[in-house]
Amino acid sequence: MTVAKRIDGKAKAAELAESITRDTAALMDEHGIKPGLAVVIIGEDPASQVYVRNKKRTAESCGFHSVQHTLDADASQPDVLTLIDQLNNDNAIHGILVQLPLPGHLDEQAITQAIAPSKDVDGFHFVNIGKLTAGQTSDAFVPCTPAGCMLMIEDELGNDLSGKNAVVIGRSNIVGKPMASLLLQANATVTITHSRTRDLSQVVAAADIVIAAVGRPDMVKADWVKPGAVVIDVGINRVEKIVDGESKMGLTGDVDFDDVCTVAAAVTPVPGGVGPMTITMLMANTLRSARLTAGLDG
Ligand code: NAD
């Protein structure tokens, strides 16, 4: 029985954060520019509050100027758009992130598209989506989760995925679709699957690279996976787990980790895989934005 490598996203993210911190200090020393990240949170969704706290803490530890704007759950659309307009025009801010999901009365699309493309460090603006789709990533912001997945895939398989079959499970705008664009750009042969795909397990069985971004606990099993495949688990599912005989809430991915580890070459765990990389890629995008505004390479 093979035992797959456990891809340590936490360690890789920490290593990347160190280099971002060094580059941030150099940007300050040489050009007097401190990357600025503004995070906007609307309402009191507990999971969003945890994510926003983590982003703020990581930004501060990288040496960024970090600001958080907290709006009430009943903030109006004009209130939010006015704040975004202020941040778009604030020279100390290089990255703007509006934490999703938004309260139901707000128009998420209009808010996301109001962020200046040059400060859209989440990569959700249509300008950045278009550039990514056109393979024009030199001055585009790529969404953080797929960007982090791609770095982990490159570590295992190199930059050129020619001849590799990649199957992305999930077609969301924030994970599945941009992930597929990145894999295509790296020369992989890409299949995007989703809830309407027939015989999903058979499609996945042809993949040298599997990316699961669905939101269904332990969906991908060993008998779906080609021996030697690299498996990236994006899913975050809150489930009841039994730890030392006690029932506790814990996190699990879309991949049955222990099972898939018996056939795959390398698998990301949940937690400790894609999640930490996502936050670090947000810092990488913000530093890149600060460098681009200073006329430096991204
Ligand atoms: P989403 O709900 O927008 O999209 C889910 C996708 O899964 C859809 O395209 C849907 O067609 C597909 N799907 C649903 N059921 C399916 C099935 N039975 N078979 C095949 N495909 C199916 O979700 P999302 O925003 O893309 O997120 C996906 C998962 O990744 C969630 O668990 C989310 O929490 C997690 N996530 C993690 C990170 C991270 O940083 N680790 C970031 C973003 C999302």
Side-chain angles (χ1 to χ4, degrees):
M1 189 176 77
T2 50
V3 178
K5 172 182 164 188
R6 177 184 180 279
I7 300 175
D8 190 341
K10 204 171 163 189
K12 183 163 179 64
E15 218 174 87
L16 252 170
E18 263 178 42
S19 96
I20 292 169
T21 307
R22 276 196 303 275
D23 291 351
T24 298
L27 186 65
M28 188 64 198
D29 284 352
E30 291 159 26
H31 300 274
I33 296 170
K34 195 177 221 199
L37 176 65
V39 178
V40 179
I41 178 166
I42 306 158
E44 277 158 18
D45 178 59
S48 293
Q49 287 184 340
V50 173
Y51 291 139
V52 165
R53 253 201 314 277
N54 284 343
K55 286 168 186 173
K56 189 160 195 292
R57 196 182 320 127
T58 312
E60 282 164 3
S61 76
C62 287
F64 289 8
H65 167 55
S66 164
V67 291
Q68 181 178 330
H69 292 271
T70 307
L71 302 187
D72 290 341
D74 61 359
S76 69
Q77 183 83 5
D79 289 343
V80 182
L81 293 176
T82 302
L83 173 60
I84 290 175
D85 189 50
Q86 281 165 10
L87 296 169
N88 281 342
N89 290 300
D90 183 342
N91 289 337
I93 297 299
H94 304 96
I96 303 168
L97 177 149
V98 177
Q99 185 66 44
L100 303 178
L102 297 176
H105 67 283
L106 294 172
D107 178 346
E108 188 173 304
Q109 181 117 309
I111 289 171
T112 310
Q113 300 309 311
I115 297 172
S118 61
K119 297 190 179 189
D120 167 41
V121 285
D122 254 340
F124 296 163
H125 196 283
F126 293 155
V127 166
N128 286 312
I129 295 172
K131 285 182 176 177
L132 171 60
T133 310
Q136 191 110 21
T137 44
S138 58
D139 65 345
F141 292 110
V142 174
C144 302
T145 300
C149 293
M150 207 56 206
L151 288 186
M152 293 193 283
I153 293 167
E154 283 172 9
D155 276 354
E156 301 309 313
L157 299 170
N159 295 342
D160 185 358
L161 303 177
S162 295
K164 304 278 185 212
N165 288 328
V167 171
V168 181
I169 317 177
R171 59 173 163 180
S172 71
N173 289 333
I174 63 168
V175 189
K177 286 181 197 162
M179 188 71 241
S181 295
L182 287 172
L183 289 161
L184 192 60
Q185 209 178 323
N187 301 320
T189 302
V190 184
T191 306
I192 305 177
T193 64
H194 46 80
S195 55
R196 308 289 178 93
T197 299
R198 284 204 193 130
D199 301 325
L200 180 62
S201 59
Q202 284 170 42
V203 180
V204 173
D208 303 296
I209 304 161
V210 181
I211 294 96
V214 179
R216 288 178 70 125
D218 299 336
M219 181 176 84
V220 178
K221 302 288 183 191
D223 59 6
W224 293 30
V225 174
K226 180 174 168 179
V230 171
V231 180
I232 307 291
D233 190 354
V234 180
I236 300 178
N237 306 291
R238 273 168 218 287
V239 292
E240 211 177 316
K241 284 183 171 179
I242 306 295
V243 181
D244 299 332
E246 268 185 54
S247 157
K248 291 190 174 158
M249 289 311 281
L251 293 184
T252 194
D254 291 344
V255 173
D256 186 335
F257 183 83
D258 292 336
D259 194 30
V260 168
C261 274
T262 61
V263 289
V267 188
T268 61
V270 177
V274 173
M277 285 296 288
T278 296
I279 296 190
T280 307
M281 294 316 291
L282 176 68
M283 305 306 142
N285 277 353
T286 306
L287 172 62
R288 187 149 174 264
S289 175
R291 289 181 59 84
L292 288 170
T293 42
L296 301 166
D297 286 344

